[in-house]
């Protein structure tokens, strides 16, 4: 995922990309580094954090930070161009599903031997997986976010739901209570769940012990037709059918229309979303601010949270950086508790600290904090992009199964074969 605060698209020119080069002297030549160039993405880190970080780094090391904020639009091409040059930036941010592709191209520095100075003992397993390729680590986790169930506290109270659900069975029970309490409203949806919400499907697949694909002998094969994966699809259908599915077509995802807009109508009891989606709904309908909270996606196992997809960003040092030692010092400082706490205060799951106390000060932050230790990522391989960005087999399988166009067995068999083909 290319950072949950932005999307990558478009193109960038060579002259623009190369302009990010820092004045440097090769540490291997015995001359001194005077400046490093750092590229972070728009909206990733609060200005209060980056201002303090850059000031402290410059003071402690006598090295100037040329800090440049990049737009997500066109970043894939801009990074490709910059990383192929002889003078790339020294620290870059990239989406955690982009990392494997750039690592496979040989354009990122292997920092496996340096991981301990980046607080590697505090990395969440899913975040570590996202930057590990063939047993080597090509970056440092920056931040992440995961989906939670955002709900209307006033509607829960009116329906007699005293506590948020802590199991999938309790969740369906809450859906039925909300529907009964709002039966007079023909536009009401207890849970807004469009048919192609495949990131949520991942939670159900993983919760049932299934997965999208597995690697065997160096080759990836689809695993969507296993009994465990099929159970995940069945769990999705149970929630879809229970939640007034006729209001959310089987052939759309959470972005068309934006589900925060649907939630903001006031006719929705719950949605499965990210913090920025709640913020968007509240901005459009301010009176929701004091009427919303969140809980972790419930597991089928009572009292447990289901695994969640950890979307976010990693930080890496380009292989051609002339200032690698200074770049490592920069990442080490950013990995310290001081700056990880500031990331958490800004509403993100910190990349190099399991201490989420600063995040858990809001309802949605607490829900993210509670579920993030159980987070996972999509298959870490350059070939995954062909699955996610192309004719997504998970979306196709959901639509076919939920609409009745295909049986569960046929839909998952076709999807699994499509995954194998795309990753073959």
């Amino acid at each position: 995922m290319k950072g949950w605060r932005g999307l990558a698209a478009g193109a960038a020119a060579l002259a623009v990309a190369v302009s990010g080069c820092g004045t440097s002297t090769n540490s291997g030549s015995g001359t001194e580094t005077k400046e490093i160039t750092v590229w972070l993405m728009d909206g990733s880190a609060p200005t209060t954090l980056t201002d303090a970080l850059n000031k402290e780094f410059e003071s402690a090391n006598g090295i100037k930070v040329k800090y440049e904020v990049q737009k997500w639009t066109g970043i894939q091409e801009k990074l490709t161009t910059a990383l192929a040059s002889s003078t790339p930036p020294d620290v870059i941010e990239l989406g955690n599903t982009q990392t494997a592709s750039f690592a496979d191209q040989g354009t990122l520095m292997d920092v496996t031997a340096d991981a301990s100075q980046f607080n590697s003992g505090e990395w969440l397993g899913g975040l570590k997986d996202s930057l590990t390729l063939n047993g080597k680590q090509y970056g440092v986790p920056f931040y992440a976010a995961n989906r939670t169930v955002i709900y209307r506290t006033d509607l829960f109270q009116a329906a007699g739901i005293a506590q948020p659900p802590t199991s999938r069975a309790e969740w369906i029970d809450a859906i039925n209570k909300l529907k009964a309490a709002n039966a007079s409203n023909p536009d009401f949806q207890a849970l807004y769940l469009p048919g192609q919400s495949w990131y949520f499907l991942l939670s159900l697949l993983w919760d049932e012990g299934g997965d999208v694909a597995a690697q065997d002998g160096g080759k990836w094969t689809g695993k969507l037709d296993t009994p465990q994966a099929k159970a995940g699809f069945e769990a999705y259908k149970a929630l879809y059918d229970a939640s007034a599915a006729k209001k959310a077509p089987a052939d759309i995802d959470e972005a068309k229309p934006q589900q925060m807009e649907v939630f903001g109508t006031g006719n929705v009891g719950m949605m499965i979303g990210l913090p920025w989606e709640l913020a968007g709904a509240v901005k459009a309908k301010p009176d929701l601010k004091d009427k919303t909270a969140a809980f972790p996606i419930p597991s089928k196992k009572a009292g447990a949270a289901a695994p969640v997809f950890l979307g976010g960003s990693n930080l890496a040092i380009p292989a051609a950086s002339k200032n690698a030692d200074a770049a490592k010092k920069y990442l080490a400082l950013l990995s310290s508790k001081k700056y990880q706490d500031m990331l958490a205060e800004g509403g993100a799951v910190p990349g190099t600290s399991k201490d989420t106390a600063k995040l858990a000060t809001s309802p949605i932050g607490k829900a993210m904090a509670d579920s993030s230790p159980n987070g996972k990522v999509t298959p870490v391989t350059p070939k995954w992009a062909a699955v996610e960005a192309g004719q997504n087999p998970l979306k196709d399988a959901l639509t076919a199964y939920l609409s009745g166009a295909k049986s569960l067995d046929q839909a998952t068999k076709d999807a699994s074969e499509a995954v194998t083909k795309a990753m073959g």
Side-chain angles (χ1 to χ4, degrees):
M1 181 176 181
K2 301 176 179 66
W4 63 276
R5 304 177 199 241
L7 299 172
L14 173 61
V16 175
V18 176
S19 69
C21 310
T23 38
S24 69
T25 48
N26 193 325
S27 57
S29 67
T31 51
E32 184 179 356
T33 297
K34 296 179 180 178
E35 182 180 89
I36 62 169
T37 297
V38 176
W39 283 7
L40 298 187
M41 302 309 300
D42 185 28
S44 288
T47 303
T48 51
L49 185 157
T50 53
D51 285 350
L53 172 68
N54 293 338
K55 181 178 180 181
E56 182 174 350
F57 177 83
E58 290 177 343
S59 177
N61 297 282
I63 300 172
K64 180 176 175 56
V65 177
K66 186 179 181 183
Y67 176 62
E68 300 183 348
V69 177
Q70 306 296 320
K71 298 292 186 182
W72 282 106
T73 301
I75 193 58
Q76 180 79 18
E77 292 80 5
K78 190 170 185 177
L79 282 172
T80 299
T81 302
L83 291 173
S85 76
S86 60
T87 52
D90 303 297
V91 174
I92 59 171
E93 175 185 348
L94 63 171
N96 58 12
T97 59
Q98 293 175 305
T99 307
S101 178
F102 284 115
D104 187 61
Q105 294 167 19
T107 56
L108 303 183
M109 184 171 292
D110 175 3
V111 296
T112 308
D114 307 287
S116 61
Q117 67 177 295
F118 308 135
N119 212 22
S120 58
E122 288 289 298
W123 298 0
L124 295 176
L127 298 183
K128 180 179 178 180
D129 289 345
S130 75
L131 50 80
T132 303
L133 185 67
N134 299 324
K136 296 180 179 180
Q137 293 162 18
Y138 290 93
V140 177
F142 188 13
Y143 68 84
N146 54 265
R147 287 163 177 77
T148 64
V149 185
I150 298 165
Y151 71 100
R152 288 277 300 274
T153 54
D154 56 333
L155 296 180
F156 265 50
Q157 183 177 6
I161 306 169
Q163 299 292 335
T166 58
S167 71
R168 201 186 299 157
E170 288 183 3
W171 194 8
I172 291 180
D173 183 59
I175 288 171
N176 290 329
K177 287 180 177 178
L178 284 168
K179 287 166 61 179
N182 294 274
S184 62
N185 180 359
D187 296 320
F188 184 75
Q189 300 174 79
L191 168 67
Y192 180 70
L193 180 60
Q196 295 186 344
S197 187
W198 71 277
Y199 285 116
F200 170 57
L201 173 66
L202 292 177
S203 287
L204 300 176
L205 293 179
W206 292 331
D207 193 41
E208 294 288 348
D211 212 335
V212 178
Q215 192 174 26
D216 183 21
K219 182 179 180 181
W220 287 90
T221 56
K223 297 295 180 182
L224 292 171
D225 55 351
T226 65
Q228 296 86 353
K230 289 178 183 179
F233 277 87
E234 289 176 321
Y236 193 109
K237 189 173 189 300
L239 287 161
Y240 182 81
D241 289 345
S243 60
K246 64 182 180 181
K247 303 296 182 181
D251 59 351
I252 63 172
D253 61 20
E254 68 279 6
K256 299 176 183 178
Q258 289 284 345
Q259 65 176 1
M260 64 182 179
E261 297 174 0
V262 181
F263 188 79
T265 64
N267 293 317
V268 175
M270 294 177 277
M271 71 173 175
I272 303 159
L274 293 160
W276 65 267
E277 292 177 296
L278 174 58
V282 169
K283 183 177 181 180
K285 193 174 180 63
D287 65 345
L288 288 177
K289 181 178 181 181
D290 298 322
K291 299 177 181 178
T292 53
F295 57 88
I297 295 172
S299 168
K300 68 174 183 177
K301 180 181 178 182
V308 287
F309 172 72
L310 288 174
S313 288
N314 294 324
L315 298 169
I317 301 172
S321 168
K322 303 298 190 296
N323 305 302
D325 290 344
K328 291 174 185 177
K329 290 179 181 179
Y330 188 87
L331 293 182
L333 183 59
L334 179 52
S335 298
S336 66
K337 180 172 172 52
K338 173 182 177 180
Y339 294 106
Q340 294 302 296
D341 280 350
M342 291 177 74
L343 277 173
E345 284 179 324
V349 176
T352 62
S353 174
K354 294 177 183 175
D355 183 355
T356 53
K358 299 290 186 180
L359 173 62
T361 55
S362 70
I364 194 166
K366 185 177 188 308
M368 282 206 306
D370 289 346
S371 50
S372 61
N374 204 19
K376 302 182 70 172
V377 292
T378 49
V380 183
T381 167
K383 297 180 179 181
W384 173 252
V387 177
E388 184 172 337
Q391 184 68 31
N392 191 318
L394 287 85
K395 287 187 173 185
D396 289 346
L398 280 169
T399 296
Y401 174 47
L402 297 175
S403 67
K406 293 181 181 179
S407 67
L408 174 62
D409 288 348
Q410 190 63 53
T412 54
K413 178 178 181 291
D414 291 347
S416 199
E417 289 176 352
V419 169
T420 299
K421 182 178 180 180
M423 298 178 70

